[in-house]
Amino acid sequence: GAGVSQTPSNKVTEKGKYVELRCDPISGHTALYWYRQSLGQGPEFLIYFQGTGAADDSGLPNDRFFAVRPEGSVSTLKIQRTERGDSAVYLCASSSTSGSYTDTQYFGPGTRLTVL
Amino acid sequence: GNSVTQMEGPVTLSEEAFLTINCTYTATGYPSLFWYVQYPGEGLQLLLKATKADDKGSNKGFEATYRKETTSFHLEKGSVQVSDSAVYFCALGPSSGAQKLVFGQGTRLTINP
């Protein structure tokens, strides 16, 4: 079946601009996660949704970052007033049940964001 | 807080060599442990997992055993192939609260024919 998809695959923007990154999870998956992967590092957690609500947003670095999941499926990560330090690969993952610690998270291919 | 320390790379081996990539963790409670792999040009894929102490995860000839006494989850393969060249990430899933995975920094593995 279809996996997690993310669009765009690449995004180049200028410092100070606003960007939106989209994630389509696996159909039926209720849990959705955003991570950020800087060059040469492992992914770092940003935010977790269970259904429509953000159950844990403790990884968002500051108030320029915001994410929504209005209908419990597609999610959008929004970054305002982008900075060069925001350049990274943004990964989305989904899992099938209630976010149990035994669940497997399935990752999308990522969006590579470059802020000039 | 929870953390994962992974063997630094890059690691270069010849085909058919034995592979070990070390991973140790710090966590409260009884986390789940995972190895993810990222092949060139592809996304992260789950390679194997173990959800309780002494469990052994295995897949594609790779194995890792959840050792609570040494807080380790080392990845092993008896005979590597060129196609195993990739970046390998050890990760921890906390036993309570939101399932935010904590990843190691990754180990780049190159297998030469």
Side-chain angles (χ1 to χ4, degrees), chain A residues 33 35 37 40-45 48 55-56 58-59 91 99-109, chain B residues 30-32 34 36 38 43-44 46 49 51 89 93-106:
Chain A
Y33 309 80
Y35 294 84
Q37 186 176 16
Q41 301 297 315
E44 293 180 309
F45 170 81
Y48 157 60
D56 186 335
S58 62
L91 298 171
S100 162
Y101 74 103
T102 61
D103 288 348
T104 295
Q105 293 183 27
Y106 296 89
F107 283 80
Chain B
Y30 299 91
S32 289
F34 305 83
Y36 279 84
Q38 194 167 35
L44 274 172
L46 178 69
K49 72 177 186 181
T51 58
F89 293 93
S95 57
S96 63
Q99 264 308 284
K100 39 192 179 183
L101 292 176
V102 175
F103 285 84
Q105 76 272 27

mmCIF file of all heavy atoms in Angstrom, chain A residues 33 35 37 40-45 48 55-56 58-59 91 99-109, chain B residues 30-32 34 36 38 43-44 46 49 51 89 93-106:
data_model
loop_
_atom_site.group_PDB
_atom_site.id
_atom_site.type_symbol
_atom_site.label_atom_id
_atom_site.label_comp_id
_atom_site.label_asym_id
_atom_site.label_seq_id
_atom_site.Cartn_x
_atom_site.Cartn_y
_atom_site.Cartn_z
ATOM 1 N N TYR A 33 3.826 12.182 13.460
ATOM 2 C CA TYR A 33 4.985 12.809 14.092
ATOM 3 C C TYR A 33 5.755 13.646 13.068
ATOM 4 O O TYR A 33 5.866 13.259 11.906
ATOM 5 C CB TYR A 33 5.951 11.744 14.628
ATOM 6 C CG TYR A 33 5.320 10.695 15.492
ATOM 7 C CD1 TYR A 33 4.627 9.623 14.928
ATOM 8 C CD2 TYR A 33 5.424 10.750 16.876
ATOM 9 C CE1 TYR A 33 4.047 8.650 15.714
ATOM 10 C CE2 TYR A 33 4.852 9.768 17.671
ATOM 11 C CZ TYR A 33 4.164 8.715 17.083
ATOM 12 O OH TYR A 33 3.595 7.759 17.869
ATOM 13 N N TYR A 35 9.680 15.280 12.634
ATOM 14 C CA TYR A 35 11.059 15.312 13.117
ATOM 15 C C TYR A 35 11.856 16.231 12.199
ATOM 16 O O TYR A 35 11.477 16.472 11.046
ATOM 17 C CB TYR A 35 11.700 13.912 13.056
ATOM 18 C CG TYR A 35 11.102 12.893 13.991
ATOM 19 C CD1 TYR A 35 9.962 12.175 13.637
ATOM 20 C CD2 TYR A 35 11.702 12.599 15.212
ATOM 21 C CE1 TYR A 35 9.420 11.222 14.492
ATOM 22 C CE2 TYR A 35 11.173 11.640 16.068
ATOM 23 C CZ TYR A 35 10.034 10.956 15.696
ATOM 24 O OH TYR A 35 9.507 10.013 16.536
ATOM 25 N N GLN A 37 15.893 16.677 10.763
ATOM 26 C CA GLN A 37 17.199 16.036 10.677
ATOM 27 C C GLN A 37 18.200 17.002 10.065
ATOM 28 O O GLN A 37 18.112 17.320 8.875
ATOM 29 C CB GLN A 37 17.121 14.752 9.851
ATOM 30 C CG GLN A 37 18.418 13.962 9.831
ATOM 31 C CD GLN A 37 18.295 12.631 9.091
ATOM 32 O OE1 GLN A 37 17.344 12.401 8.347
ATOM 33 N NE2 GLN A 37 19.238 11.739 9.303
ATOM 34 N N GLY A 40 24.207 15.223 9.006
ATOM 35 C CA GLY A 40 25.108 14.416 9.814
ATOM 36 C C GLY A 40 24.581 14.044 11.188
ATOM 37 O O GLY A 40 25.315 13.491 12.009
ATOM 38 N N GLN A 41 23.302 14.315 11.429
ATOM 39 C CA GLN A 41 22.704 14.024 12.726
ATOM 40 C C GLN A 41 21.519 13.082 12.578
ATOM 41 O O GLN A 41 20.995 12.887 11.483
ATOM 42 C CB GLN A 41 22.231 15.321 13.393
ATOM 43 C CG GLN A 41 23.318 16.345 13.610
ATOM 44 C CD GLN A 41 24.389 15.827 14.558
ATOM 45 O OE1 GLN A 41 24.075 15.251 15.607
ATOM 46 N NE2 GLN A 41 25.645 16.013 14.195
ATOM 47 N N GLY A 42 21.096 12.531 13.713
ATOM 48 C CA GLY A 42 19.872 11.760 13.706
ATOM 49 C C GLY A 42 18.667 12.678 13.779
ATOM 50 O O GLY A 42 18.782 13.846 14.163
ATOM 51 N N PRO A 43 17.495 12.185 13.399
ATOM 52 C CA PRO A 43 16.288 13.008 13.491
ATOM 53 C C PRO A 43 16.009 13.429 14.931
ATOM 54 O O PRO A 43 16.283 12.689 15.879
ATOM 55 C CB PRO A 43 15.192 12.068 12.977
ATOM 56 C CG PRO A 43 15.903 11.056 12.140
ATOM 57 C CD PRO A 43 17.229 10.867 12.801
ATOM 58 N N GLU A 44 15.442 14.639 15.072
ATOM 59 C CA GLU A 44 15.029 15.158 16.384
ATOM 60 C C GLU A 44 13.533 15.432 16.361
ATOM 61 O O GLU A 44 13.023 16.040 15.414
ATOM 62 C CB GLU A 44 15.797 16.443 16.710
ATOM 63 C CG GLU A 44 17.277 16.239 16.931
ATOM 64 C CD GLU A 44 17.982 17.542 17.252
ATOM 65 O OE1 GLU A 44 17.796 18.501 16.494
ATOM 66 O OE2 GLU A 44 18.696 17.592 18.252
ATOM 67 N N PHE A 45 12.870 15.022 17.408
ATOM 68 C CA PHE A 45 11.416 15.153 17.521
ATOM 69 C C PHE A 45 10.992 16.611 17.552
ATOM 70 O O PHE A 45 11.612 17.445 18.222
ATOM 71 C CB PHE A 45 10.967 14.452 18.800
ATOM 72 C CG PHE A 45 9.532 14.695 19.178
ATOM 73 C CD1 PHE A 45 8.513 13.985 18.569
ATOM 74 C CD2 PHE A 45 9.208 15.642 20.145
ATOM 75 C CE1 PHE A 45 7.196 14.213 18.922
ATOM 76 C CE2 PHE A 45 7.894 15.866 20.500
ATOM 77 C CZ PHE A 45 6.884 15.152 19.897
ATOM 78 N N TYR A 48 3.958 15.779 17.968
ATOM 79 C CA TYR A 48 3.208 14.533 17.827
ATOM 80 C C TYR A 48 1.714 14.838 17.873
ATOM 81 O O TYR A 48 1.246 15.566 18.753
ATOM 82 C CB TYR A 48 3.614 13.595 18.962
ATOM 83 C CG TYR A 48 2.634 12.507 19.332
ATOM 84 C CD1 TYR A 48 2.239 11.542 18.416
ATOM 85 C CD2 TYR A 48 2.135 12.421 20.635
ATOM 86 C CE1 TYR A 48 1.361 10.538 18.772
ATOM 87 C CE2 TYR A 48 1.259 11.418 21.001
ATOM 88 C CZ TYR A 48 0.885 10.472 20.065
ATOM 89 O OH TYR A 48 0.019 9.468 20.425
ATOM 90 N N ALA A 55 -0.673 16.298 20.693
ATOM 91 C CA ALA A 55 -0.548 15.711 22.024
ATOM 92 C C ALA A 55 0.750 16.099 22.704
ATOM 93 O O ALA A 55 0.847 16.078 23.928
ATOM 94 C CB ALA A 55 -0.655 14.190 21.928
ATOM 95 N N ASP A 56 1.752 16.447 21.920
ATOM 96 C CA ASP A 56 3.046 16.812 22.483
ATOM 97 C C ASP A 56 3.774 17.685 21.469
ATOM 98 O O ASP A 56 4.115 17.194 20.396
ATOM 99 C CB ASP A 56 3.859 15.560 22.802
ATOM 100 C CG ASP A 56 5.174 15.854 23.528
ATOM 101 O OD1 ASP A 56 5.715 16.972 23.393
ATOM 102 O OD2 ASP A 56 5.675 14.959 24.214
ATOM 103 N N SER A 58 6.489 19.580 22.452
ATOM 104 C CA SER A 58 7.643 20.013 23.237
ATOM 105 C C SER A 58 8.925 20.151 22.421
ATOM 106 O O SER A 58 9.881 20.779 22.868
ATOM 107 C CB SER A 58 7.882 19.038 24.393
ATOM 108 O OG SER A 58 8.168 17.745 23.894
ATOM 109 N N GLY A 59 8.955 19.580 21.233
ATOM 110 C CA GLY A 59 10.167 19.651 20.411
ATOM 111 C C GLY A 59 10.218 20.842 19.481
ATOM 112 O O GLY A 59 11.259 21.097 18.865
ATOM 113 N N LEU A 91 11.152 15.487 8.453
ATOM 114 C CA LEU A 91 10.603 14.151 8.268
ATOM 115 C C LEU A 91 9.244 14.040 8.955
ATOM 116 O O LEU A 91 9.052 14.563 10.052
ATOM 117 C CB LEU A 91 11.543 13.107 8.873
ATOM 118 C CG LEU A 91 12.942 13.016 8.280
ATOM 119 C CD1 LEU A 91 13.818 12.098 9.123
ATOM 120 C CD2 LEU A 91 12.875 12.500 6.859
ATOM 121 N N GLY A 99 -0.315 5.390 19.693
ATOM 122 C CA GLY A 99 0.957 5.944 20.140
ATOM 123 C C GLY A 99 1.605 5.108 21.218
ATOM 124 O O GLY A 99 2.420 5.600 21.984
ATOM 125 N N SER A 100 1.266 3.829 21.270
ATOM 126 C CA SER A 100 1.904 2.932 22.225
ATOM 127 C C SER A 100 3.401 2.829 21.972
ATOM 128 O O SER A 100 3.851 2.953 20.837
ATOM 129 C CB SER A 100 1.281 1.542 22.106
ATOM 130 O OG SER A 100 2.114 0.562 22.703
ATOM 131 N N TYR A 101 4.136 2.545 23.017
ATOM 132 C CA TYR A 101 5.592 2.513 22.888
ATOM 133 C C TYR A 101 6.070 1.335 22.067
ATOM 134 O O TYR A 101 7.224 1.281 21.689
ATOM 135 C CB TYR A 101 6.258 2.506 24.269
ATOM 136 C CG TYR A 101 6.183 1.218 25.037
ATOM 137 C CD1 TYR A 101 7.280 0.375 25.118
ATOM 138 C CD2 TYR A 101 5.027 0.843 25.692
ATOM 139 C CE1 TYR A 101 7.229 -0.797 25.833
ATOM 140 C CE2 TYR A 101 4.968 -0.332 26.400
ATOM 141 C CZ TYR A 101 6.074 -1.142 26.479
ATOM 142 O OH TYR A 101 6.023 -2.305 27.190
ATOM 143 N N THR A 102 5.208 0.405 21.739
ATOM 144 C CA THR A 102 5.633 -0.705 20.891
ATOM 145 C C THR A 102 5.329 -0.466 19.414
ATOM 146 O O THR A 102 5.704 -1.265 18.572
ATOM 147 C CB THR A 102 4.940 -2.009 21.315
ATOM 148 O OG1 THR A 102 3.526 -1.842 21.175
ATOM 149 C CG2 THR A 102 5.260 -2.348 22.761
ATOM 150 N N ASP A 103 4.635 0.637 19.109
ATOM 151 C CA ASP A 103 4.276 0.897 17.715
ATOM 152 C C ASP A 103 5.499 1.158 16.851
ATOM 153 O O ASP A 103 6.483 1.723 17.308
ATOM 154 C CB ASP A 103 3.381 2.137 17.611
ATOM 155 C CG ASP A 103 1.987 1.878 18.125
ATOM 156 O OD1 ASP A 103 1.651 0.708 18.352
ATOM 157 O OD2 ASP A 103 1.246 2.857 18.290
ATOM 158 N N THR A 104 5.385 0.794 15.591
ATOM 159 C CA THR A 104 6.402 1.124 14.611
ATOM 160 C C THR A 104 6.014 2.417 13.907
ATOM 161 O O THR A 104 4.873 2.560 13.457
ATOM 162 C CB THR A 104 6.541 0.007 13.571
ATOM 163 O OG1 THR A 104 7.018 -1.165 14.224
ATOM 164 C CG2 THR A 104 7.519 0.401 12.472
ATOM 165 N N GLN A 105 6.936 3.344 13.837
ATOM 166 C CA GLN A 105 6.708 4.579 13.090
ATOM 167 C C GLN A 105 7.253 4.400 11.663
ATOM 168 O O GLN A 105 8.382 3.956 11.482
ATOM 169 C CB GLN A 105 7.384 5.757 13.783
ATOM 170 C CG GLN A 105 6.753 6.081 15.126
ATOM 171 C CD GLN A 105 7.369 7.284 15.798
ATOM 172 O OE1 GLN A 105 7.895 8.179 15.158
ATOM 173 N NE2 GLN A 105 7.312 7.297 17.127
ATOM 174 N N TYR A 106 6.429 4.757 10.693
ATOM 175 C CA TYR A 106 6.799 4.662 9.282
ATOM 176 C C TYR A 106 7.085 6.074 8.774
ATOM 177 O O TYR A 106 6.236 6.957 8.895
ATOM 178 C CB TYR A 106 5.675 4.015 8.473
ATOM 179 C CG TYR A 106 5.428 2.586 8.880
ATOM 180 C CD1 TYR A 106 4.525 2.282 9.899
ATOM 181 C CD2 TYR A 106 6.107 1.533 8.270
ATOM 182 C CE1 TYR A 106 4.311 0.977 10.297
ATOM 183 C CE2 TYR A 106 5.894 0.218 8.657
ATOM 184 C CZ TYR A 106 5.003 -0.048 9.684
ATOM 185 O OH TYR A 106 4.797 -1.350 10.074
ATOM 186 N N PHE A 107 8.260 6.231 8.204
ATOM 187 C CA PHE A 107 8.727 7.564 7.816
ATOM 188 C C PHE A 107 8.490 7.851 6.338
ATOM 189 O O PHE A 107 8.597 6.961 5.492
ATOM 190 C CB PHE A 107 10.220 7.709 8.118
ATOM 191 C CG PHE A 107 10.515 7.939 9.561
ATOM 192 C CD1 PHE A 107 10.534 6.887 10.460
ATOM 193 C CD2 PHE A 107 10.754 9.221 10.035
ATOM 194 C CE1 PHE A 107 10.788 7.100 11.806
ATOM 195 C CE2 PHE A 107 11.011 9.444 11.375
ATOM 196 C CZ PHE A 107 11.025 8.382 12.260
ATOM 197 N N GLY A 108 8.230 9.116 6.052
ATOM 198 C CA GLY A 108 8.199 9.591 4.688
ATOM 199 C C GLY A 108 9.604 9.921 4.193
ATOM 200 O O GLY A 108 10.565 9.850 4.957
ATOM 201 N N PRO A 109 9.706 10.310 2.910
ATOM 202 C CA PRO A 109 11.019 10.584 2.318
ATOM 203 C C PRO A 109 11.631 11.908 2.768
ATOM 204 O O PRO A 109 12.815 12.141 2.560
ATOM 205 C CB PRO A 109 10.729 10.602 0.820
ATOM 206 C CG PRO A 109 9.300 11.001 0.741
ATOM 207 C CD PRO A 109 8.618 10.405 1.932
ATOM 208 N N TYR B 30 11.146 1.141 30.868
ATOM 209 C CA TYR B 30 11.494 0.043 29.959
ATOM 210 C C TYR B 30 11.157 0.451 28.529
ATOM 211 O O TYR B 30 10.087 0.130 28.020
ATOM 212 C CB TYR B 30 10.727 -1.216 30.375
ATOM 213 C CG TYR B 30 11.072 -1.649 31.782
ATOM 214 C CD1 TYR B 30 10.344 -1.187 32.869
ATOM 215 C CD2 TYR B 30 12.157 -2.483 32.010
ATOM 216 C CE1 TYR B 30 10.670 -1.569 34.153
ATOM 217 C CE2 TYR B 30 12.495 -2.874 33.294
ATOM 218 C CZ TYR B 30 11.754 -2.398 34.360
ATOM 219 O OH TYR B 30 12.095 -2.779 35.639
ATOM 220 N N PRO B 31 12.084 1.136 27.875
ATOM 221 C CA PRO B 31 11.790 1.634 26.535
ATOM 222 C C PRO B 31 11.770 0.519 25.500
ATOM 223 O O PRO B 31 12.226 -0.602 25.756
ATOM 224 C CB PRO B 31 12.955 2.580 26.262
ATOM 225 C CG PRO B 31 14.086 1.986 27.042
ATOM 226 C CD PRO B 31 13.455 1.443 28.301
ATOM 227 N N SER B 32 11.238 0.829 24.330
ATOM 228 C CA SER B 32 11.452 0.001 23.149
ATOM 229 C C SER B 32 12.694 0.505 22.423
ATOM 230 O O SER B 32 13.032 1.686 22.503
ATOM 231 C CB SER B 32 10.254 0.092 22.199
ATOM 232 O OG SER B 32 9.145 -0.562 22.744
ATOM 233 N N PHE B 34 15.016 0.394 18.687
ATOM 234 C CA PHE B 34 14.851 0.235 17.252
ATOM 235 C C PHE B 34 16.182 0.468 16.540
ATOM 236 O O PHE B 34 17.010 1.248 16.994
ATOM 237 C CB PHE B 34 13.857 1.276 16.701
ATOM 238 C CG PHE B 34 12.507 1.287 17.364
ATOM 239 C CD1 PHE B 34 12.304 1.970 18.555
ATOM 240 C CD2 PHE B 34 11.436 0.628 16.786
ATOM 241 C CE1 PHE B 34 11.055 1.992 19.167
ATOM 242 C CE2 PHE B 34 10.188 0.649 17.388
ATOM 243 C CZ PHE B 34 9.996 1.327 18.580
ATOM 244 N N TYR B 36 16.928 1.783 12.685
ATOM 245 C CA TYR B 36 16.435 2.251 11.398
ATOM 246 C C TYR B 36 17.610 2.341 10.433
ATOM 247 O O TYR B 36 18.763 2.572 10.840
ATOM 248 C CB TYR B 36 15.784 3.634 11.533
ATOM 249 C CG TYR B 36 14.366 3.614 12.037
ATOM 250 C CD1 TYR B 36 14.095 3.554 13.409
ATOM 251 C CD2 TYR B 36 13.286 3.648 11.156
ATOM 252 C CE1 TYR B 36 12.778 3.547 13.871
ATOM 253 C CE2 TYR B 36 11.980 3.641 11.608
ATOM 254 C CZ TYR B 36 11.729 3.590 12.963
ATOM 255 O OH TYR B 36 10.425 3.566 13.411
ATOM 256 N N GLN B 38 18.889 3.989 6.538
ATOM 257 C CA GLN B 38 18.627 4.962 5.468
ATOM 258 C C GLN B 38 19.565 4.642 4.313
ATOM 259 O O GLN B 38 20.770 4.932 4.368
ATOM 260 C CB GLN B 38 18.874 6.374 5.998
ATOM 261 C CG GLN B 38 18.336 7.487 5.143
ATOM 262 C CD GLN B 38 18.342 8.815 5.912
ATOM 263 O OE1 GLN B 38 19.210 9.090 6.717
ATOM 264 N NE2 GLN B 38 17.359 9.647 5.646
ATOM 265 N N GLY B 43 14.253 7.067 2.161
ATOM 266 C CA GLY B 43 13.858 7.495 3.490
ATOM 267 C C GLY B 43 14.242 6.481 4.555
ATOM 268 O O GLY B 43 14.693 5.381 4.263
ATOM 269 N N LEU B 44 14.012 6.866 5.802
ATOM 270 C CA LEU B 44 14.270 5.978 6.924
ATOM 271 C C LEU B 44 13.350 4.775 6.886
ATOM 272 O O LEU B 44 12.138 4.919 6.709
ATOM 273 C CB LEU B 44 14.026 6.711 8.244
ATOM 274 C CG LEU B 44 15.149 7.530 8.840
ATOM 275 C CD1 LEU B 44 14.625 8.315 10.023
ATOM 276 C CD2 LEU B 44 16.299 6.646 9.251
ATOM 277 N N LEU B 46 12.420 1.062 9.035
ATOM 278 C CA LEU B 46 12.659 0.241 10.210
ATOM 279 C C LEU B 46 13.390 -1.026 9.790
ATOM 280 O O LEU B 46 12.962 -1.729 8.886
ATOM 281 C CB LEU B 46 11.336 -0.134 10.879
ATOM 282 C CG LEU B 46 11.481 -1.033 12.098
ATOM 283 C CD1 LEU B 46 12.130 -0.268 13.240
ATOM 284 C CD2 LEU B 46 10.124 -1.590 12.518
ATOM 285 N N LYS B 49 13.357 -4.271 15.661
ATOM 286 C CA LYS B 49 13.026 -3.667 16.936
ATOM 287 C C LYS B 49 12.936 -4.728 18.015
ATOM 288 O O LYS B 49 12.785 -5.922 17.728
ATOM 289 C CB LYS B 49 11.720 -2.883 16.845
ATOM 290 C CG LYS B 49 10.460 -3.733 16.722
ATOM 291 C CD LYS B 49 9.219 -2.826 16.706
ATOM 292 C CE LYS B 49 7.943 -3.638 16.724
ATOM 293 N NZ LYS B 49 6.719 -2.780 16.691
ATOM 294 N N THR B 51 11.068 -4.889 22.091
ATOM 295 C CA THR B 51 10.214 -4.111 22.974
ATOM 296 C C THR B 51 10.385 -4.435 24.451
ATOM 297 O O THR B 51 9.816 -3.754 25.305
ATOM 298 C CB THR B 51 8.736 -4.288 22.599
ATOM 299 O OG1 THR B 51 8.421 -5.676 22.687
ATOM 300 C CG2 THR B 51 8.465 -3.783 21.196
ATOM 301 N N PHE B 89 20.712 4.004 12.141
ATOM 302 C CA PHE B 89 20.347 4.805 13.310
ATOM 303 C C PHE B 89 19.761 3.900 14.385
ATOM 304 O O PHE B 89 18.804 3.157 14.129
ATOM 305 C CB PHE B 89 19.299 5.863 12.947
ATOM 306 C CG PHE B 89 19.788 6.938 12.025
ATOM 307 C CD1 PHE B 89 19.626 6.801 10.654
ATOM 308 C CD2 PHE B 89 20.391 8.078 12.527
ATOM 309 C CE1 PHE B 89 20.070 7.798 9.795
ATOM 310 C CE2 PHE B 89 20.834 9.072 11.663
ATOM 311 C CZ PHE B 89 20.680 8.934 10.302
ATOM 312 N N GLY B 93 12.332 4.362 22.030
ATOM 313 C CA GLY B 93 10.960 4.824 22.194
ATOM 314 C C GLY B 93 10.586 4.726 23.663
ATOM 315 O O GLY B 93 10.621 3.646 24.246
ATOM 316 N N PRO B 94 10.271 5.840 24.318
ATOM 317 C CA PRO B 94 10.010 5.823 25.750
ATOM 318 C C PRO B 94 8.809 4.947 26.122
ATOM 319 O O PRO B 94 7.892 4.779 25.315
ATOM 320 C CB PRO B 94 9.755 7.294 26.102
ATOM 321 C CG PRO B 94 9.381 7.932 24.824
ATOM 322 C CD PRO B 94 10.093 7.179 23.747
ATOM 323 N N SER B 95 8.837 4.421 27.331
ATOM 324 C CA SER B 95 7.799 3.480 27.759
ATOM 325 C C SER B 95 6.550 4.174 28.258
ATOM 326 O O SER B 95 5.579 3.508 28.600
ATOM 327 C CB SER B 95 8.341 2.563 28.844
ATOM 328 O OG SER B 95 8.827 3.327 29.931
ATOM 329 N N SER B 96 6.558 5.499 28.344
ATOM 330 C CA SER B 96 5.350 6.220 28.738
ATOM 331 C C SER B 96 5.325 7.559 28.024
ATOM 332 O O SER B 96 6.342 8.041 27.543
ATOM 333 C CB SER B 96 5.326 6.431 30.253
ATOM 334 O OG SER B 96 6.410 7.234 30.645
ATOM 335 N N GLY B 97 4.146 8.124 27.952
ATOM 336 C CA GLY B 97 4.024 9.419 27.292
ATOM 337 C C GLY B 97 4.041 9.292 25.792
ATOM 338 O O GLY B 97 3.925 8.204 25.235
ATOM 339 N N ALA B 98 4.174 10.413 25.142
ATOM 340 C CA ALA B 98 4.162 10.450 23.685
ATOM 341 C C ALA B 98 5.336 9.673 23.122
ATOM 342 O O ALA B 98 6.425 9.681 23.676
ATOM 343 C CB ALA B 98 4.221 11.894 23.204
ATOM 344 N N GLN B 99 5.106 9.013 22.011
ATOM 345 C CA GLN B 99 6.124 8.159 21.424
ATOM 346 C C GLN B 99 7.094 8.943 20.573
ATOM 347 O O GLN B 99 7.224 8.686 19.371
ATOM 348 C CB GLN B 99 5.470 7.068 20.575
ATOM 349 C CG GLN B 99 5.312 5.807 21.369
ATOM 350 C CD GLN B 99 6.613 5.403 22.004
ATOM 351 O OE1 GLN B 99 7.509 4.898 21.368
ATOM 352 N NE2 GLN B 99 6.753 5.617 23.312
ATOM 353 N N LYS B 100 7.797 9.863 21.191
ATOM 354 C CA LYS B 100 8.785 10.603 20.439
ATOM 355 C C LYS B 100 10.083 9.815 20.468
ATOM 356 O O LYS B 100 10.721 9.660 21.508
ATOM 357 C CB LYS B 100 8.984 12.000 21.011
ATOM 358 C CG LYS B 100 8.957 12.103 22.519
ATOM 359 C CD LYS B 100 8.871 13.567 22.926
ATOM 360 C CE LYS B 100 8.818 13.699 24.436
ATOM 361 N NZ LYS B 100 8.668 15.107 24.850
ATOM 362 N N LEU B 101 10.477 9.314 19.320
ATOM 363 C CA LEU B 101 11.697 8.541 19.224
ATOM 364 C C LEU B 101 12.906 9.445 19.466
ATOM 365 O O LEU B 101 12.935 10.592 19.017
ATOM 366 C CB LEU B 101 11.815 7.892 17.841
ATOM 367 C CG LEU B 101 10.799 6.798 17.516
ATOM 368 C CD1 LEU B 101 10.972 6.317 16.083
ATOM 369 C CD2 LEU B 101 10.907 5.641 18.485
ATOM 370 N N VAL B 102 13.879 8.893 20.170
ATOM 371 C CA VAL B 102 15.158 9.573 20.374
ATOM 372 C C VAL B 102 16.196 8.791 19.583
ATOM 373 O O VAL B 102 16.366 7.587 19.815
ATOM 374 C CB VAL B 102 15.519 9.609 21.868
ATOM 375 C CG1 VAL B 102 16.896 10.209 22.062
ATOM 376 C CG2 VAL B 102 14.462 10.386 22.655
ATOM 377 N N PHE B 103 16.870 9.472 18.664
ATOM 378 C CA PHE B 103 17.795 8.822 17.757
ATOM 379 C C PHE B 103 19.245 9.069 18.153
ATOM 380 O O PHE B 103 19.588 10.130 18.701
ATOM 381 C CB PHE B 103 17.612 9.350 16.325
ATOM 382 C CG PHE B 103 16.389 8.837 15.623
ATOM 383 C CD1 PHE B 103 15.158 9.449 15.812
ATOM 384 C CD2 PHE B 103 16.465 7.742 14.779
ATOM 385 C CE1 PHE B 103 14.025 8.983 15.164
ATOM 386 C CE2 PHE B 103 15.343 7.271 14.120
ATOM 387 C CZ PHE B 103 14.127 7.893 14.312
ATOM 388 N N GLY B 104 20.099 8.092 17.830
ATOM 389 C CA GLY B 104 21.530 8.338 17.840
ATOM 390 C C GLY B 104 21.921 9.158 16.627
ATOM 391 O O GLY B 104 21.084 9.473 15.773
ATOM 392 N N GLN B 105 23.200 9.479 16.535
ATOM 393 C CA GLN B 105 23.641 10.375 15.468
ATOM 394 C C GLN B 105 23.823 9.673 14.133
ATOM 395 O O GLN B 105 24.050 10.328 13.113
ATOM 396 C CB GLN B 105 24.949 11.089 15.863
ATOM 397 C CG GLN B 105 26.193 10.227 15.764
ATOM 398 C CD GLN B 105 26.474 9.452 17.035
ATOM 399 O OE1 GLN B 105 25.570 9.134 17.809
ATOM 400 N NE2 GLN B 105 27.738 9.165 17.275
ATOM 401 N N GLY B 106 23.721 8.349 14.121
ATOM 402 C CA GLY B 106 23.853 7.603 12.870
ATOM 403 C C GLY B 106 25.272 7.120 12.631
ATOM 404 O O GLY B 106 26.246 7.778 13.027
#
